[in-house]
Amino acid sequence: MSKRLENKNIIVTAAGQGIGRATAIAFHNEGAKVIATDINDKTLKVLNKEYPNIKVKNLDSTNKQTIEQFSASLDRVDVLFNAVGFVHHGTILDCDEKDWDFSFNANIKSMYLMTKSIIPKMIKQNKGSIINISSIVSSLRGLPNRFVYGTTKAAIIGFTKSIASDYIKNNIRCNAIAPGTVHTPSWERRVQAAKDPVQAKKDFIARQPMGRIGAPEEVASLAVYLASDESDFVTGIVHPIDGGMSI
Ligand code: NAD
């Protein structure tokens, strides 16, 4: 039986850990040829050791020059999975200009640079799927202390819909995934950095009506669907995966 992503060439960003890593593995398990990119050589090495058929590449998704060099080395790209993101904690008053610029650079400019560099290949192929990781904290919901994070994640939704609408005739689909809280290393770090980590964990879980947080593999399953031809009629949509947070 053929696999769901057989023969697809896929680029995954932020693939060293968390959602990006789980998604790179899920794509690989469904038969795709995956290039996993990240700025962390250590985690990429671990991934490549466990999955020697997943190619790894140190790539800063905010660096235009290296992205263009990388893109020039690629032939066909069927799927681009944009997952780079950083969570700034605080309100507008806690957000200096440098925090604002850092978050916009990491969370949305990275997607602009990666997509702009890869999309000409998809236009030539007359086919492609772009998947952007937004968040429930965006234009879907506001939550305390996620001022600049939520602002950038809302921008990703506008970005996704614009790309979807501009390239629909080129058979290029663009969708966003909006996770609730997911168990990843950066989430663990946020919990441990809280004044009372035990209470912080309880508070995170309490936000999720299902009474648990998500697993990166659950987000990866949704990404497999959006990457595959099974979702050929789906574009410009934000897909929440959040344990009921957005009901
Ligand atoms: P994470 O924060 O644990 O890891 C992020 C990865 O991105 C790291 O491997 C890091 O090295 C890499 N990275 C950082 N800057 C980079 C850059 N400039 N270029 C390339 N790689 C870079 O991952 P996560 O928690 O799985 O989050 C992944 C995405 O999902 C983010 O966009 C995040 O905002 C989003 N998200 C996460 C959650 C959650 O609860 N974990 C919820 C909603 C949305």
Side-chain angles (χ1 to χ4, degrees), residues 5-227:
L5 299 173
E6 203 102 65
N7 297 322
K8 288 204 188 285
N9 292 339
I10 304 189
I11 309 299
V12 177
T13 74
Q17 64 185 40
I19 292 169
R21 177 187 149 93
T23 303
I25 294 168
F27 286 165
H28 163 75
N29 288 340
E30 287 296 344
K33 292 180 203 126
V34 178
I35 305 181
T37 71
D38 201 288
I39 46 171
N40 188 332
D41 272 330
K42 244 198 202 155
T43 52
L44 285 180
K45 226 172 152 184
V46 172
L47 177 65
N48 186 242
K49 201 167 174 205
E50 280 175 52
Y51 296 89
N53 291 330
I54 297 182
K55 283 193 188 155
V56 295
K57 164 88 184 154
N58 187 315
L59 183 74
D60 180 348
S61 291
T62 64
N63 184 321
K64 184 176 172 190
Q65 203 186 339
T66 52
I67 292 169
E68 283 177 355
Q69 279 165 3
F70 171 63
S71 177
S73 74
L74 304 171
D75 182 18
R76 193 183 167 88
V77 178
D78 298 288
V79 178
L80 171 63
F81 183 80
N82 282 318
V84 172
F86 170 78
V87 182
H88 175 269
H89 179 92
T91 66
I92 190 170
L93 297 179
D94 304 310
C95 179
D96 293 339
E97 259 183 88
K98 69 170 179 1
D99 300 320
W100 174 271
D101 290 343
F102 182 86
S103 289
F104 266 82
N105 201 35
N107 296 7
I108 178 77
K109 192 172 175 192
S110 61
M111 296 192 182
Y112 157 71
L113 291 174
M114 290 296 299
T115 304
K116 193 166 179 184
S117 170
I118 298 288
I119 209 165
K121 294 180 200 299
M122 294 180 169
I123 295 170
K124 229 187 253 168
Q125 295 158 195
N126 195 38
K127 191 164 170 72
S129 171
I130 299 165
I131 304 161
N132 302 318
I133 301 295
S134 175
S135 170
I136 279 302
V137 185
S138 57
S139 50
L140 302 177
R141 280 201 62 183
L143 285 178
N145 291 313
R146 289 291 178 267
F147 163 67
V148 70
Y149 180 73
T151 306
T152 60
K153 291 295 183 181
I156 291 169
I157 293 174
F159 175 88
T160 300
K161 288 182 180 283
S162 296
I163 301 279
S165 107
D166 283 338
Y167 295 100
I168 200 156
K169 298 288 189 228
N170 302 91
N171 208 18
I172 298 168
R173 301 181 296 109
C174 185
N175 289 283
I177 294 179
T181 306
V182 181
H183 197 163
T184 66
S186 70
W187 176 73
E188 273 295 348
R189 252 197 334 269
R190 283 193 292 283
V191 168
Q192 294 313 323
K195 265 189 217 130
D196 179 351
V198 174
Q199 187 56 42
K201 203 167 240 182
K202 278 189 193 152
D203 291 344
F204 272 117
I205 292 169
R207 295 194 318 199
Q208 314 265 144
M210 281 188 188
R212 68 171 179 91
I213 61 169
E217 291 74 17
E218 292 177 299
V219 180
S221 295
L222 177 54
V224 167
Y225 167 69
L226 292 172

